[in-house]
Amino acid sequence: MSSIFTKIIRGEIPCYKVAEDEKFFAFLDINPLKKGHTLIIPKEEVDYIFDLDEDLLAEMMVFSRKIALAIEKVVPCNRIGVVVLGLEVPHAHIHLIPIDSEADVRFSNPREQMNEEEFKDLAERINKQII
Ligand code: AMP
């Protein structure tokens, strides 16, 4: 069975898409630690990030950088935190999280409450900043 993230890539489950290219897909985390919390996934469905082909893994980081620089332009923050957990969804993903301090990346923190309009607007604004 396909992962929930593969279904998102195929458009079978809705998401707030930030960007995609032929190998990767970026979309807003539905339960964000901070506004702008974005997930980067390879289109190839592989559970564990370190099982990815090494070239694909390197390209995934370059794609993540492009998205991180765009998030920074939209969301005021000290920097973009980069986190990999993969404990919940078995499809490799990188969390990009705008942070001001270490406390902002605690996954036990309460999540930001955002409505659909805010999610949509934020995804569009980040997309426009991608070079
Ligand atoms: P983890 O696998 O532990 O890195 O966590 C999975 C992340 O995916 C969590 O931050 C969830 O909020 C996020 N997530 C799960 N389902 C969706 C979805 N349908 N759309 C966007 N984000 C999701």
Side-chain angles (χ1 to χ4, degrees):
M1 210 180 77
S2 303
S3 78
I4 185 168
F5 288 172
T6 292
K7 289 181 180 160
I8 284 176
I9 293 165
R10 291 190 192 136
E12 295 166 9
I13 290 179
C15 76
Y16 300 100
K17 179 169 125 179
V18 170
E20 72 177 308
D21 68 8
E22 73 274 17
K23 292 182 184 165
F24 305 105
F25 195 95
F27 59 107
L28 295 181
D29 194 298
I30 204 67
N31 210 5
L33 277 168
K34 301 295 282 181
K35 287 184 181 173
H37 182 167
T38 299
L39 300 177
I40 309 296
I41 58 178
K43 289 188 172 176
E44 181 188 342
E45 185 178 323
V46 171
D47 174 359
Y48 184 42
I49 193 162
F50 294 130
D51 283 335
L52 288 172
D53 166 89
E54 69 179 32
D55 288 336
L56 192 67
L57 179 58
E59 287 174 55
M60 187 171 171
M61 196 46 87
V62 173
F63 182 82
S64 298
R65 175 176 183 270
K66 227 163 61 160
I67 306 302
L69 295 178
I71 298 170
E72 272 175 14
K73 289 188 186 140
V74 175
V75 182
C77 61
N78 183 270
R79 59 181 52 212
I80 303 297
V82 180
V83 180
V84 176
L85 296 173
L87 295 172
E88 192 188 311
V89 179
H91 184 142
H93 52 281
I94 293 175
H95 294 258
L96 299 179
I97 308 167
I99 56 169
D100 292 308
S101 72
E102 175 270 339
D104 291 334
V105 280
R106 289 186 196 139
F107 279 72
S108 53
N109 284 351
R111 304 308 173 103
E112 297 270 3
Q113 297 304 312
M114 291 172 68
N115 64 36
E116 201 175 327
E117 209 42 55
E118 281 180 288
F119 270 118
K120 244 176 93 179
D121 174 68
L122 188 54
E124 276 171 23
R125 284 191 293 129
I126 295 170
N127 173 271
K128 285 199 185 111
Q129 293 300 328
I130 297 170
I131 300 171

